[in-house]
Amino acid sequence: MNILKLLRDIINFLYIFFIVNDNFIVDIFGEFALKIMFVIFFVINIMSLFKFNYRLKVNKRFILLIFILLFSYAFNLKNYSDIQQPLMSLLSVIMIYVVTSTYDRPKILMGVFLISVFFSSLICITSDTTLTDYTFRKTGGTGDPNEFSMMVLISISYLVGTFRIRTPLLKRVLQIVVILIYFVALFMAGSKSAMLTLVVLALSYYIMLLNKKTFKKRMKNTVLYVVLFGGIFGVLWTINREVIFNVLERFENNSSAGERLLSWGAGLELWLKSPFFGIGPQNYANMIAEYFPYIAETSRVAHNIFIQIFVEAGVFGLIAFMAFIATPIKNSFRRIIPIEYILGFISILVMGMTLAAFFEKYVWLYFGIICNSYVSQYMIKRR
């Protein structure tokens, strides 16, 4: 094997682990560890910019989106207190998408992501520390329990989606054990939006299973579905039913929903100040703090990926983003993208309605994987 390629793979795999477990890495190696790792990741993958297929429709839309974000940044330069952070975030988005969308073995990247999230889940389960003294909620290798929950949902979606593929018994048992650990960590994180997204994913998966020509196959898939999810929740109920009650109790408190509605309303007022070019990427919280100081600090982020891009990059930015995600959506209906990847994509879009996740690195890691031409070629060959 080419030494440079091996080194590049090692760096890429480590960087994925760093993305998923960023707080864990900072606690051990210090705050500069992530920046140093990104510089190494950037340098080792610089040639990927030349391998990038600029002629693909989805990639053209990605480039358009980045161009609009850069224009919005320049247009609002005077409004930034820190001009470096938005540029670094944009550079991260570009490099992560370019590398993952051109990687010739996207399934391996997904495997590294699953392992990284599994490690993060073990941190969540084994940790004695909760977010505050007044809550049961925990998080994994990253600081935000909602971001952690989204990564866990992506992982659950992928593994559950692979159940349609015939697999050796030992590997299948291992998959079930890993899924169970993911579920335990997910409930310990206690994210209400994650629970609602889980319901949407379960319904989506069932609809996909029913999309079979024969009644026998539909019934077989229904039994598989009931046994899988019933068994998982049965085991979860047996080993830790208290956490299930804790999550259900959180739905009795709607204060967080009111705070998010307040933030969205304020964001739309900011949008009116610059409807076409927005207020600048990653400037939502700063502008909310300046113009609406009465909004609690924890509620100043967008809490919605679509409102985030709409307010920060304007109408043009939202149109570009919708055009970009339209390609994997269309490919999902055309069955060019495998079910296991579709479910993870659904989890990002659904849970993204309550999270300002646009600049999260793991989001663009996953977008790069599902837009990778090797994924679609694999499905086309299977036909």
Side-chain angles (χ1 to χ4, degrees):
M1 180 182 287
N2 186 291
I3 298 297
L4 182 60
K5 189 176 187 306
L6 177 61
L7 178 62
R8 188 184 302 116
D9 285 343
I10 293 172
I11 295 299
N12 291 342
F13 299 162
L14 280 174
Y15 189 60
I16 292 173
F17 183 84
F18 275 48
I19 289 173
V20 175
N21 297 283
D22 51 357
N23 277 56
F24 172 78
I25 295 297
V26 169
D27 288 343
I28 293 179
F29 300 107
E31 58 181 324
F32 290 104
L34 296 176
K35 294 180 180 179
I36 294 171
M37 190 64 200
F38 175 71
V39 171
I40 297 172
F41 172 76
F42 179 85
V43 171
I44 201 75
N45 287 291
I46 192 70
M47 295 306 296
S48 296
L49 293 170
F50 299 97
K51 289 171 55 182
F52 188 63
N53 190 345
Y54 297 91
R55 293 174 295 177
L56 281 178
K57 182 183 289 186
V58 66
N59 291 344
K60 287 180 180 178
R61 293 175 177 179
F62 172 75
I63 293 168
L64 174 63
L65 175 60
I66 294 299
F67 175 80
I68 290 172
L69 287 167
L70 286 170
F71 186 86
S72 175
Y73 168 77
F75 186 78
N76 292 282
L77 197 60
K78 63 182 182 298
N79 296 326
Y80 284 101
S81 56
D82 181 0
I83 62 173
Q84 182 182 358
Q85 183 185 0
L87 276 181
M88 288 300 297
S89 295
L90 282 169
L91 185 59
S92 298
V93 166
I94 293 168
M95 283 305 299
I96 290 170
Y97 179 81
V98 167
V99 171
T100 54
S101 65
T102 56
Y103 195 77
D104 58 355
R105 291 167 294 167
K107 193 172 181 180
I108 293 180
L109 293 182
M110 196 65 217
V112 175
F113 178 80
L114 293 174
I115 293 170
S116 302
V117 176
F118 182 77
F119 181 86
S120 184
S121 298
L122 291 179
I123 292 176
C124 176
I125 293 171
T126 58
S127 174
D128 295 326
T129 306
T130 56
L131 297 179
T132 68
D133 293 334
Y134 308 102
T135 182
F136 71 96
R137 299 185 70 190
K138 294 182 179 182
T139 187
T142 192
D144 188 337
N146 295 312
E147 301 289 353
F148 166 69
S149 296
M150 186 187 281
M151 288 187 273
V152 173
L153 281 174
I154 293 171
S155 304
I156 291 173
S157 302
Y158 181 85
L159 287 181
V160 170
T162 60
F163 271 66
R164 65 188 173 79
I165 303 171
R166 187 168 295 176
T167 306
L169 179 60
L170 184 60
K171 185 178 179 181
R172 180 69 76 216
V173 171
L174 180 62
Q175 286 178 331
I176 293 173
V177 171
V178 172
I179 290 172
L180 180 60
I181 290 173
Y182 284 150
F183 264 98
V184 172
L186 184 67
F187 274 83
M188 285 185 168
S191 170
K192 290 191 288 187
S193 54
M195 295 300 117
L196 295 173
T197 303
L198 183 63
V199 173
V200 174
L201 285 170
L203 291 173
S204 301
Y205 183 55
Y206 184 58
I207 291 170
M208 291 176 186
L209 289 179
L210 289 182
N211 190 23
K212 297 293 181 181
K213 294 181 179 179
T214 65
F215 176 77
K216 183 179 178 181
K217 285 187 177 180
R218 288 197 293 269
M219 288 303 298
K220 180 182 177 181
N221 286 335
T222 299
V223 171
L224 170 67
Y225 177 88
V226 172
V227 170
L228 175 62
F229 284 98
I232 287 173
F233 279 102
V235 173
L236 187 60
W237 176 269
T238 302
I239 64 175
N240 199 351
R241 69 185 65 181
E242 183 181 352
V243 75
I244 298 177
F245 287 123
N246 289 335
V247 171
L248 293 175
E249 285 177 6
R250 290 202 71 229
F251 283 92
E252 297 176 3
N253 183 358
N254 295 320
S255 60
S256 60
E259 291 173 358
R260 292 182 182 189
L261 288 172
L262 192 64
S263 174
W264 293 342
L268 293 177
E269 288 189 44
L270 288 176
W271 171 76
L272 292 173
K273 295 179 180 295
S274 181
F276 296 107
F277 305 117
I279 61 174
Q282 287 208 312
N283 211 19
Y284 192 102
N286 295 332
M287 297 289 280
I288 290 289
E290 181 178 348
Y291 288 94
F292 305 92
Y294 58 86
I295 295 179
E297 186 176 350
T298 54
S299 302
R300 289 174 183 170
V301 295
H303 290 296
N304 185 299
I305 193 171
F306 301 101
I307 291 178
Q308 180 186 14
I309 189 67
F310 183 54
V311 176
E312 292 186 347
V315 172
F316 296 136
L318 181 63
I319 292 173
F321 181 59
M322 297 300 288
F324 170 75
I325 65 174
T327 300
I329 290 174
K330 183 177 69 173
N331 288 342
S332 299
F333 284 106
R334 294 169 58 194
R335 300 184 184 179
I336 294 178
I337 300 177
I339 289 177
E340 55 268 30
Y341 292 99
I342 296 172
L343 291 171
F345 184 60
I346 292 172
S347 68
I348 290 176
L349 297 185
V350 175
M351 195 167 174
M353 293 181 184
T354 58
L355 287 178
F358 183 83
F359 286 100
E360 294 298 332
K361 297 179 180 65
Y362 68 87
V363 169
W364 288 99
L365 168 70
Y366 198 78
F367 280 169
I369 290 174
I370 63 173
C371 294
N372 190 303
S373 60
Y374 288 95
V375 171
S376 56
Q377 286 174 15
Y378 166 74
M379 284 301 286
I380 292 170
K381 286 179 181 177
R382 285 187 60 194
R383 294 180 180 179

